[in-house]
Amino acid sequence: MSDFGPDASGVSARPDDDWQDRLRAAAEVARSSGTLGKSAQINRLFEFLIERSLAGRIPKEIEVAQEVFGLSVSEQIGHDATVRMSIHRLRKKLEDLPANTLGERLVLPRGEYRLQLLAPADAATPSPEASASRREGPPGASDGSGARRGGWRSRSTWLAAGVVLMLLLSAVAAWRGFSPQRAAGDDPRLRSAFWQPLARAHFPVLLVSGDRYTFGEVDSQGKVFRELRDPAITSSEVLDRYKSRDAKQGERYVDLNLFDLPSAMAPAIAVIAPIVSEATRGQGANTPITSSRFTTDMLKAHNIVYVGLLSDLRDLCEPIFDSSGFELAPDGDALVDRRSHRRFQSDWADPSQERMLRRDYVYVASLPGPYGNRILVIAGMNDPALAESAQIVARRADLDTLTARVGKAQAFEALYEVRTFGPSSVASQLIVARATQVGHQWRAPPNG
């Protein structure tokens, strides 16, 4: 292993006593701030890199794989994405840390396995990756660029998002040549276990698209210079509560009343909307709405078809997962089987970073609502899975396979593993399909 020396940017990384003291102090801030989260792997990786950096040694990937993750050479370390994915996650977490009193920031440079203190002059001009990644903000916040989920995100108010979806529904219906006289049920897919209950539940449909609240960070002059997202902050009201709990930090954030949509939303809706229209012909007008506008009162007079990311379910999350055999991670990037404790973790990241096969997951579910209506969920953990989820519920072969697996179950769920390369899915495989119990939230009697 070679000793550290000044790198290409001119940052001195030689482990002299003063530098070591500053690095130790920065590491302690990272530990105590909660920025690293509760992941044992990420914390082990951080401690390993701190130890090596203080010693002036740059470990190789194979050393990280063996020492931190317990992988062996026989497990084809060079083809395993664990190290690179964990490095990527740690790098993003470190970007949430504040600078020290000298203006230095603790960073994990791309392509390297060492921690550095970045001088203010270098920090003033962030790299393209840093500009498109998570920044300072409340715990879990990310900037509005969409880097975490990958691809384009349309920033719009809920009204604009609703208009976009309404226009899309109209365009799709016209393109497919629907007419009021066409008999419902002509499409053989509507006889599948997934779609048939929707056609039988005589309610108009709310087509709910998952959106995400975006708020702003202001500079010392009070000007908004960055847009942020946080899975725990879903509305202006929640932001106000956060600000009231931490008044000093809260001064940095302002309500922008903005919401954005996943990049895969438009193609997913384009696939699903025609099937929904065909299944519910004659049952009243279908209405598009975003999850930020959805309320549980809307269940009284509608079937619900949710399309979006699992992290954006909002008010639908608790009743759906109350009856599910899975538990959903707070950030929506993992499902844990309650019985086997098996964890299904997406390792999909910004496809511009590393072009390699990754895993993402599709979750679909069908369950009866409390008023004789129906709730369908068509969701992905990230954009590739969201796009693939629409294809799965539109492909007759996949629907036939699902129908054969769940039989005549009144309520059921299914999980698919999606192998992705960049923003595109390569293949999907059904790994769980089972009946579920109707949660107690759905068993409440109608309120008239």
Side-chain angles (χ1 to χ4, degrees), residues 44 131 159:
R44 283 200 308 269
S131 299
L159 177 61

Side-chain angles (χ1 to χ4, degrees), residues 28-98:
E28 185 55 37
V29 169
R31 296 184 190 103
S32 60
S33 67
T35 298
L36 299 176
K38 297 180 180 179
S39 168
Q41 284 190 341
I42 292 297
N43 281 274
R44 283 200 308 269
L45 177 60
F46 177 77
E47 296 300 335
F48 176 82
L49 293 179
I50 280 290
E51 177 189 348
R52 290 298 190 272
S53 298
L54 287 170
R57 297 175 57 208
I58 306 176
K60 294 182 179 180
E61 181 177 342
I62 191 170
E63 184 181 356
V64 178
Q66 291 173 320
E67 296 291 331
V68 178
F69 302 103
L71 298 176
S72 65
V73 176
S74 62
E75 291 176 280
Q76 297 181 327
I77 289 175
H79 299 284
D80 192 290
T82 301
V83 174
R84 282 159 285 175
M85 197 62 227
S86 299
I87 287 287
H88 178 82
R89 290 174 59 197
L90 178 58
R91 182 181 297 117
K92 300 308 170 193
K93 289 178 179 294
L94 293 180
E95 288 169 5
D96 287 340
L97 290 173

Side-chain angles (χ1 to χ4, degrees), residues 197-205 279-284 301-303 371-374:
L198 187 70
R200 291 179 173 177
H202 298 292
F203 291 87
V205 168
T280 58
R281 188 159 306 285
Q283 297 177 13
H302 298 89
N303 293 318
Y371 304 99
N373 55 339
R374 199 73 186 178

